[in-house]
């Protein structure tokens, strides 16, 4: 335990603060849950019309907790946050007032015969970056059939036994329902933020400390002169499209990712026979509905991994924007009375518990 974290834990028993949070997405809800658990008074503001209105990227996420797989594009800090967060979710989920499914069944990377060259390059990259006990393990087709009997078609498979996944829709609801005593201000966007202060259309609020976790809502109105700056306010949206398939009778026990030279496709099991298929990653802030091209590519790839999905029903699709900074890495910024967190990009659920712990450790050691 770091000295800062120890100080923070000691301080928890004594300080009860009045805190303001801008944003009730993934980070906003996790912060609110954590802080109310510690006895603080928390007020949260969001433009969404209700706790179940689904504007935040947190709702759309597939819920993979995959620190090794993400090393293809992330750094060791993200990996380490991911490993710590997996442990933290294990502690948080049983305390929540509503069910939130969390699995530690690992994940699988798959490749078709003609794509093995490209897949091997990624496996080598992961093997080079990941510590010894997080290495991808090549498994035989017989072993693959044992783990995932309905996966048929890929010729190569690798197991990542220390990865997991969770149900993000349940998670958003459960974190909200478990943040006892918080004041939620729906339909009240924050228009201005300064140390100790949140301003909305209705009024100006003063707090002991404020947190800016508005995701894309943190973007500066005038960005021109800051275009190259790595800062929470220099955020962009990266479009992602996903599908929900209703597939009764199809078995999928853990997330599987197809290593394809042109697009990454994953399938993630959910309750009630739902399989989430995702996700595109497009440099665009267009929130319009899913395109035909993405539909064809994602669903054809999903079918090539699990042929039994042919008769699955497409029950839902969704587009959302991942909040990303120019280096695609997460960032915490502190000044006295104000903390900003942003840039969770495609890793929000995977890293947020550790990120929140780190941010709060700093805040409580400086108050
Ligand atoms: C298709 C897709 C798949 C994904 N899959 C995964 C995955 O498998 N694993 C994973 O770990 N991550 C995944 N993610 C990423 C994850 O969803 C994000 O990293 C995470 O949601 C970011 O959390 P956040 O709280 O910063 O932003 P959000 O969850 O977007 O929340 C931001 C909140 O701020 C609010 N807000 C905006 N403007 C204002 C304002 N002016 N005042 C007050 N509030 C405001 C918004 O309404 C929103 O509620 C995925 C994302 C997408 C789009």
């Amino acid at each position: 335990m770091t000295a800062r974290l120890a100080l923070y834990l000691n301080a928890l028993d004594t300080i009860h603060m009045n805190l303001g949070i801008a944003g009730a997405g993934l980070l906003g809800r996790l912060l609110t849950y954590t802080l109310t658990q510690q006895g603080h008074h928390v007020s949260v503001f969001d433009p969404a019309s209700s706790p179940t209105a689904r504007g935040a990227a947190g709702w759309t996420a597939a819920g993979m907790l995959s620190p090794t797989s993400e090393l293809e594009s992330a750094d060791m800090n993200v990996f380490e946050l991911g490993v710590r967060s997996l442990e933290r979710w294990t502690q948080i989920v049983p305390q929540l007032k509503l069910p939130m499914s969390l699995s530690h069944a690992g994940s699988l990377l798959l490749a078709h015969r003609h794509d093995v060259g490209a897949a091997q390059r990624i496996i080598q990259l992961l093997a080079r970056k990941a510590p010894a006990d997080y290495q991808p393990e090549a498994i035989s087709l017989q072993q693959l059939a044992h783990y995932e009997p309905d996966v048929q078609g890929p010729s190569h498979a690798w197991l990542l036994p220390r990865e997991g996944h969770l149900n993000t829709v349940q998670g958003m609801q459960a974190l909200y329902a478990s943040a006892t005593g918080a004041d939620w201000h729906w339909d009240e966007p924050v228009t201005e933020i300064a140390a100790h202060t949140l301003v909305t259309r209705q009024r100006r609020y003063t707090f002991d400390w404020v947190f800016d976790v508005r995701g894309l809502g943190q973007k500066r109105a005038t960005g021109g002169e800051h275009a190259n700056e790595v800062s929470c306010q220099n955020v962009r949206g990266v479009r992602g499209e996903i599908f929900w398939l209703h597939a009764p009778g199809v078995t999928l026990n853990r997330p599987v990712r197809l290593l394809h030279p042109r697009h990454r496709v994953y399938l993630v099991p959910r309750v009630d026979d739902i399989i989430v298929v995702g996700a595109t990653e497009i440099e665009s802030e267009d929130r319009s509905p899913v395109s035909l091209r993405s539909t064809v590519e994602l669903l054809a790839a999903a079918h090539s991994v699990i042929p039994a999905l042919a008769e699955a029903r497409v029950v839902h699709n969704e587009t959302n924007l991942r909040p990303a900074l120019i280096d695609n890495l997460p960032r915490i910024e502190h000044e006295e009375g104000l903390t900003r967190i942003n840039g969770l990009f495609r890793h929000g659920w995977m890293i947020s518990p550790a990120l929140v712990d780190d941010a709060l450790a700093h805040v409580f050691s400086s108050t």
Side-chain angles (χ1 to χ4, degrees):
M1 190 187 299
T2 63
R4 197 182 278 276
L5 195 56
L7 249 175
Y8 159 55
L9 292 173
N10 285 339
L12 289 182
D13 287 337
T14 48
I15 314 169
H16 286 250
M17 296 170 81
N18 183 27
L19 303 165
I21 299 182
L26 166 57
L27 275 174
R29 289 170 195 232
L30 185 58
L31 265 171
T32 306
Y33 167 71
T34 309
L35 290 165
T36 51
Q37 284 288 103
Q38 295 166 2
H40 301 288
H41 185 261
V42 183
S43 302
V44 195
F45 301 83
D46 199 287
S49 56
S50 77
T52 49
R54 296 173 53 158
W59 292 101
T60 313
M64 287 183 298
L65 308 175
S66 45
T68 304
S69 311
E70 289 297 313
L71 274 176
E72 184 189 349
S73 53
D75 68 2
M76 287 313 288
N77 179 45
V78 169
F79 172 84
E80 189 267 333
L81 288 165
V83 169
R84 275 168 55 205
S85 295
L86 259 163
E87 181 59 32
R88 289 289 287 123
W89 282 123
T90 312
Q91 296 159 353
I92 292 168
V93 167
Q95 311 290 331
L96 298 175
K97 290 184 176 164
L98 292 179
M100 172 182 176
S101 73
L102 169 69
S103 163
H104 293 277
S107 71
L108 286 165
L109 303 176
L110 306 170
H112 290 301
R113 190 167 309 284
H114 43 274
D115 300 331
V116 166
Q120 290 286 7
R121 188 197 65 77
I122 293 161
I123 297 297
Q124 282 160 9
L125 180 70
L126 301 185
R128 196 168 59 79
K129 287 171 110 177
D133 42 354
Y134 287 86
Q135 291 284 311
E137 302 170 16
I139 60 169
S140 67
L141 288 184
Q142 231 175 354
Q143 288 170 303
L144 175 60
H146 166 75
Y147 285 117
E148 296 295 348
D150 282 338
V151 170
Q152 284 166 18
S155 62
H156 288 69
W158 297 264
L159 176 67
L160 293 163
R162 303 187 70 172
E163 301 206 327
H165 67 284
L166 48 70
N167 185 320
T168 60
V169 174
Q170 289 179 338
M172 292 293 276
Q173 291 167 334
L175 289 169
Y176 165 73
S178 309
T180 314
D183 281 336
W184 299 88
H185 298 248
W186 301 109
D187 202 13
E188 193 171 345
V190 171
T191 52
E192 220 184 295
I193 298 191
H196 304 286
T197 310
L198 297 182
V199 182
T200 73
R201 283 190 308 257
Q202 280 83 340
R203 56 172 278 208
R204 171 180 290 267
Y205 299 83
T206 306
F207 297 98
D208 295 326
W209 203 278
V210 296
F211 295 87
D212 187 355
V213 285
R214 291 174 294 168
L216 279 174
Q218 291 195 46
K219 194 188 281 205
R220 267 193 202 92
T222 51
E225 73 276 24
H226 303 286
N228 297 325
E229 205 176 89
V230 184
S231 102
C232 287
Q233 294 175 85
N234 192 12
V235 60
R236 74 183 195 286
V238 179
R239 176 178 163 101
E241 298 152 299
I242 58 151
F243 290 84
W244 292 16
L245 304 182
H246 184 231
V250 175
T251 304
L252 184 66
N253 300 309
R254 54 185 60 71
V256 297
R257 293 185 193 232
L258 183 63
L259 303 178
H260 187 278
R262 239 179 300 172
H263 31 258
R264 296 281 172 273
V265 181
Y266 54 72
L267 295 89
V268 182
R270 285 248 171 111
V271 287
D272 300 330
D273 299 320
I274 295 292
I275 293 178
V276 178
V277 180
T280 50
E281 194 175 308
I282 302 169
E283 283 297 336
S284 161
E285 296 194 341
D286 173 5
R287 283 182 186 263
S288 66
V290 175
S291 71
L292 177 133
R293 180 181 176 162
S294 301
T295 307
V296 170
E297 289 181 356
L298 287 178
L299 297 186
H303 179 238
S304 77
V305 172
I306 304 184
L309 284 176
E311 284 305 318
R313 298 299 188 254
V314 182
V315 289
H316 177 68
N317 62 57
E318 203 167 318
T319 302
N320 214 321
L321 303 179
R322 307 170 180 91
L325 308 187
I326 51 177
D327 55 6
N328 287 344
L329 297 175
R331 186 171 174 85
I332 304 174
E333 290 169 4
H334 298 284
E335 59 184 87
E336 203 281 320
L338 168 61
T339 296
R340 297 182 199 273
I341 314 175
N342 212 349
L344 273 59
F345 187 38
R346 43 185 280 168
H347 320 293
W349 286 92
M350 184 180 103
I351 63 175
S352 50
L355 214 50
V356 162
D357 282 351
D358 290 351
L360 295 183
H362 181 98
V363 170
F364 287 99
S365 65
S366 57
T367 50

